[in-house]
């Protein structure tokens, strides 16, 4: 046995498997780092994009712009929720809080719901403004697959269990899952 392996066995709490923010855990970390910037861009796009701000302020006679206000506000609200949730999850991950896995599962569940909602809000606005549709429905199963993969990862990963929980709690939880 190597000396490094011996040191792990002699430590008071040896952990079997990978520990720390590394491996596949880097991808969700990057997600919660990048998501607030992307959501801020989305908020900016709603407020200044599509040449809609002028008709909203100027009181256009065409009722399409007035009807598009509610979906655009809902789209902005979903972006604000994403920023807040991603920021909170990032703090938990960097602190290696035991609450991080649960909140990351919540984060991806909310992302799943908001992803579908945003898709249909965007489609509604495009239809109201009679613009050509640029999104396809293939995005929906893609969103679902990504979110479900990460939810399962945060429930079953040994690295997540070792990084965010004590050894005893990780062994108990993983024992329940795999027994």
């Amino acid at each position: 046995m190597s000396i490094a392996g011996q040191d792990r066995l002699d430590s008071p709490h040896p952990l079997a498997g990978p520990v720390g923010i590394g491996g596949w855990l880097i991808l969700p970390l990057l997600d919660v780092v990048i998501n607030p910037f992307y959501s801020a861009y989305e908020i900016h796009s709603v407020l200044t994009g599509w040449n809609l701000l002028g008709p909203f302020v100027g009181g256009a006679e065409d009722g399409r712009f007035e009807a598009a206000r509610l979906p655009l506000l809902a789209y902005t609200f979903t972006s604000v929720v994403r920023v807040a949730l991603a920021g909170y999850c990032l703090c938990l991950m960097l602190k290696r809080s035991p609450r991080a896995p649960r909140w990351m599962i919540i984060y991806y569940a909310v992302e799943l719901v908001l992803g579908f909602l945003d898709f249909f809000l965007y489609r509604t606005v495009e239809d109201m403004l009679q613009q050509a549709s640029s999104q396809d429905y293939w995005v929906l199963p893609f969103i679902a697959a990504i979110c479900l993969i990460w939810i399962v990862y945060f429930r079953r990963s040994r690295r997540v269990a070792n990084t965010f929980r004590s050894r005893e709690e990780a062994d108990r939880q993983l024992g329940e899952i795999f027994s």
Side-chain angles (χ1 to χ4, degrees):
M1 185 178 300
S2 70
I3 293 175
Q6 185 66 34
D7 290 341
R8 282 186 73 163
L9 293 176
D10 292 339
S11 68
H13 298 288
L15 295 173
V19 179
I21 297 179
W24 289 106
L25 195 53
I26 290 175
L27 294 176
L29 179 68
L30 288 174
D31 184 20
V32 295
V33 167
I34 293 171
N35 195 321
F37 294 106
Y38 181 74
S39 295
Y41 169 76
E42 289 291 317
I43 293 169
H44 176 47
S45 294
V46 167
L47 295 177
T48 60
W50 302 315
N51 295 323
L52 293 178
L53 191 58
F56 281 160
V57 175
E61 294 179 20
D62 188 350
R64 293 180 299 157
F65 295 113
E66 191 65 35
R69 183 179 291 174
L70 183 60
L72 288 173
L73 288 174
Y75 193 76
T76 303
F77 176 75
T78 62
S79 295
V80 170
V81 168
R82 281 188 165 107
V83 169
L85 193 54
Y88 183 66
C89 288
L90 177 62
C91 290
L92 291 176
M93 285 183 76
L94 293 178
K95 289 180 183 178
R96 294 189 183 190
S97 170
R99 295 179 302 183
R102 178 175 296 140
W103 276 97
M104 286 302 294
I105 290 169
I106 292 169
Y107 170 79
Y108 281 110
V110 169
E111 279 293 313
L112 178 64
V113 171
L114 293 183
F116 276 71
L117 180 62
D118 284 351
F119 178 84
F120 290 110
L121 287 171
Y122 192 80
R123 292 290 263 209
T124 301
V125 170
E126 284 180 335
D127 290 344
M128 286 179 182
L129 301 178
Q130 299 172 348
Q131 293 180 347
S133 179
S134 62
Q135 288 187 323
D136 293 323
Y137 285 96
W138 67 268
V139 172
L140 298 176
F142 185 72
I143 291 169
I146 288 174
C147 291
L148 293 174
I149 286 169
W150 288 117
I151 288 170
V152 170
Y153 176 78
F154 276 96
R155 288 189 49 86
R156 295 188 173 215
S157 169
R158 175 56 90 171
R159 179 180 292 276
V160 169
N162 289 343
T163 302
F164 298 108
R165 297 180 185 96
S166 68
R167 176 184 164 84
E168 295 79 21
E169 184 183 352
D171 286 342
R172 181 191 54 76
Q173 184 179 15
L174 289 172
E176 290 173 2
I177 291 172
F178 292 112
S179 62

